[in-house]
Amino acid sequence: MDFSSLLNEDQLKGVVTSSQYVRVIAGAGSGKTRVLTYRIAHLIINCNVLPHQILAVTFTNRAAKEIKERVNKLIDNPNNNFNMYLGTIHSWCAMFLRKEIKVLGYPSNFTILDEEDQLAVMKEIFVKHGYPKSDPAIKTCLNWIGSKKTDGFEYEDLKDKDYPNSEIKRFVKYYGEYTEILKQRNSLDFDDLLLKSIDILSNFPLIREKYCRYIRYILVDEFQDINDVQFNLICLLMDAGTSLYVVGDPDQTIYTWRGANNRIILNLEESLKEINSKEKLETIMLIKNYRSTKMILDCANNLIVNNMERVKKDLIPVNNSGEIVDFFNARTAKEETHHIVSTILELHKFKNIKYKDIVVLYRANYLTRELESTLLSYRVPYKVYGGMKFFQRREIKDLLAYFRLIINDLDDTAFDRIINVPRRGIGPLTIDKISTMAEENGQTKFSYICENLNDAPFTTKQRALVTSLVSGIKQIRNEINSNSPSFVQSLYDFINLKLGYFDYLKEDDESKYDERKENIEELFSSLKNQLDGNQDLSFEEFVNSAMLQSSQDEVNEGDYVSLMTVHTAKGLEYDYVFVYSLGQGIFPSLRSITESRKGIEEERRLAYVAFTRAKKKLYLSSNQDYSFTTQGPLSPSQFIKEAGIKIGQETPYNIDISSFKPQGFVKKDITPKPHNDMRLTNGIKDWKIGDKVVHEKFGEGVVVGIISQLIEVKFNDSRLGKKTFLGSHISIKRI
């Protein structure tokens, strides 16, 4: 197949090159995904490479899905029936370990713990040593363990070292206990997926040789964000004849805080000499930008040229037209958000721009409060990404815990979550007794209960409920093992009817029942559809894939404004991009300013990524409000000046937002007031459920929920439904 008419000269060179080692430096919007997709298709169609010989690694599941769909179209494979791996490196490791982890003494039906599960295990350890569950050192210890694993150190590598710091000595000890608990429960955390895979490939040469013979072409997307452990794994899958093809942009390295090392892509040639010193690395530059206008790219290029650690390049726009980049320096945070929302409304109402084509980006999640409040006030539909993911919602976590117990009797982390969900009247003292008995018998709590129901310290009522739980799990497990076509329905009935989980949710909080029930039904629909659509996918693989989702995997279509951190926006693009709260000490962060040059260069790369998400128009804004972070009023980010924008020539605030007032509301002048007026509060800090309120726009209602400083109000006007506000907001009063 000839791709010459479908690609530009540099893209075509990147697709058809015959070099064994290839590094594609792909600037933002230069067709990186296109080149990677066509490269895979070229290998299969024109080079007669067998699909199973290809290992293609992407940064997110979303990217993998997009590339897979495109490849299938190019090679005319609508049924996706070829055996090529294309997905995240963690997913590949999970698949590899299912087949090979027995050599490390683990059964293949291990479960994967997420951050919340890890925290629960660490709390157990601290409580065992006499500390409270609220001890702040719990998270510190877990973060320390995570940092060591990111650096490639398992407990065995650290246990015999002499640490002068008593706190670190304690953390090492707890690392050992944490490791032992996970092994007892047949569980791995995310970092273990990589480390255990490396362990096997490093210490079992026959297994490594098998995979090196099997995998002949490795392709890696977003290579600039790879860390040392991941690169080590990739090298272990290579021999002298393996082809390596990497795509990335050092200017978009934004994950060094979690181990990413952009020197890997910069110094790749030297690293590969250890595998095959005879082969040279070919570097191909993609600098023609198809995404953004010249105005946007001028700002991005002006900004990133200030970094020293990079491959020098300037993006060249295909689109030489476009509007200037707007910058608005507001007096206050409230004025800044009103400016953003008024501009969004102007785009939507007067220029017929869909909300889904608009995104607001920010440095950190805590910055959204004022923005969300303003969007809510003017009924602009929006969705926040990077917050609580679908698979992190309470009801979904509960069900996944049940699913994990069906797969793995040893998963006591899952058992601890669900033993009293729905309520079975089993208190902490009973759990402690079970734990002691299980430990004496050398078993986990759930496996002990399964084998010793009559001896477990339950009341008659508790024993009946637990018996129903155990028998139901065994029944579902039997249906799965016998490949029963109706097991998904049986599983749904088990959760709903036998366990009474839906009734439990309704009793727990009726106001959230419909939403939670819909989430559960979505989970079962997804399970059924995926199993029906892929005969090779097992229930076990579905459950574990749920543990490997990222924030970007949540992004989907819908006509609403998207709100997300710049990290979440990586790899995405929108017609209209607002970069919000560009204040010195906020973006760039205060910490990066006080650190070395590397810190500020990382922040500059982050701003570069934010700017280059924009296709048609880029809006930048900051405010001069007092910041507790900087302990003073904010000034515009240094990145504004570095991007070539002159401070003092800001976009005027001349849009009358009152004309966008939702129908049925009383119009009110919201022209920004003097600085002090904007920071008034109602002074109420002791809200209670059931309090009657009056809102200056929405009228009367009642408080139905309280989360930290937020209150959820159900209004008397049924058209308004329920809304969430900051409890101290000046617009709300208690009746």
Side-chain angles (χ1 to χ4, degrees), residues 472-492:
I473 285 178
K474 288 181 178 178
Q475 178 190 337
I476 298 298
R477 188 179 293 155
N478 290 336
E479 289 197 37
I480 293 172
N481 292 337
S482 63
N483 295 317
S484 169
S486 61
F487 99 84
V488 176
Q489 183 62 50
S490 298
L491 181 59
Y492 181 86

Side-chain angles (χ1 to χ4, degrees), residues 630-668:
T630 62
Q631 293 294 300
L634 289 168
S635 59
S637 167
Q638 67 185 78
F639 297 153
I640 301 297
K641 185 176 180 180
E642 290 176 359
I645 297 170
K646 294 181 179 179
I647 306 295
Q649 296 185 358
E650 298 91 348
T651 307
Y653 183 46
N654 56 10
I655 302 169
D656 180 13
I657 196 171
S658 64
S659 63
F660 300 117
K661 212 60 160 166
Q663 186 176 3
F665 285 9
V666 178
K667 288 189 178 181
K668 183 182 177 186

Side-chain angles (χ1 to χ4, degrees), residues 550-608:
S550 72
S551 299
Q552 276 200 9
D553 299 323
E554 297 283 308
V555 178
N556 49 43
E557 290 297 318
D559 196 24
Y560 38 70
V561 176
S562 296
L563 273 57
M564 63 183 75
T565 64
V566 184
H567 285 98
T568 301
K570 178 74 180 296
L572 304 178
E573 59 182 36
Y574 290 84
D575 286 349
Y576 300 88
V577 172
F578 293 80
V579 186
Y580 163 60
S581 202
L582 273 162
Q584 191 73 356
I586 304 297
F587 196 178
S589 68
L590 185 63
R591 180 178 178 181
S592 71
I593 295 170
T594 57
E595 284 180 347
S596 62
R597 172 178 56 83
K598 287 186 177 181
I600 200 69
E601 289 206 358
E602 171 101 350
E603 291 287 299
R604 193 176 286 114
R605 290 193 295 266
L606 193 61
Y608 176 80

Side-chain angles (χ1 to χ4, degrees), residues 648-698:
Q649 296 185 358
E650 298 91 348
T651 307
Y653 183 46
N654 56 10
I655 302 169
D656 180 13
I657 196 171
S658 64
S659 63
F660 300 117
K661 212 60 160 166
Q663 186 176 3
F665 285 9
V666 178
K667 288 189 178 181
K668 183 182 177 186
D669 178 18
I670 57 80
T671 304
K673 302 293 189 297
H675 186 90
N676 290 336
D677 289 346
M678 291 186 174
R679 299 199 291 167
L680 293 173
T681 71
N682 58 25
I684 304 173
K685 298 181 180 179
D686 59 343
W687 287 106
K688 298 181 181 63
I689 292 177
D691 281 353
K692 293 183 179 179
V693 307
V694 61
H695 189 283
E696 63 184 28
K697 298 186 185 76
F698 305 142

Side-chain angles (χ1 to χ4, degrees), residues 524-566:
F524 275 95
S525 295
S526 176
L527 171 61
K528 187 175 190 308
N529 292 336
Q530 289 194 45
L531 292 178
D532 288 348
N534 184 353
Q535 299 301 318
D536 295 326
L537 181 71
S538 68
F539 175 64
E540 184 177 317
E541 289 168 334
F542 171 85
V543 173
N544 283 299
S545 70
M547 312 298 291
L548 298 171
Q549 300 296 308
S550 72
S551 299
Q552 276 200 9
D553 299 323
E554 297 283 308
V555 178
N556 49 43
E557 290 297 318
D559 196 24
Y560 38 70
V561 176
S562 296
L563 273 57
M564 63 183 75
T565 64
V566 184

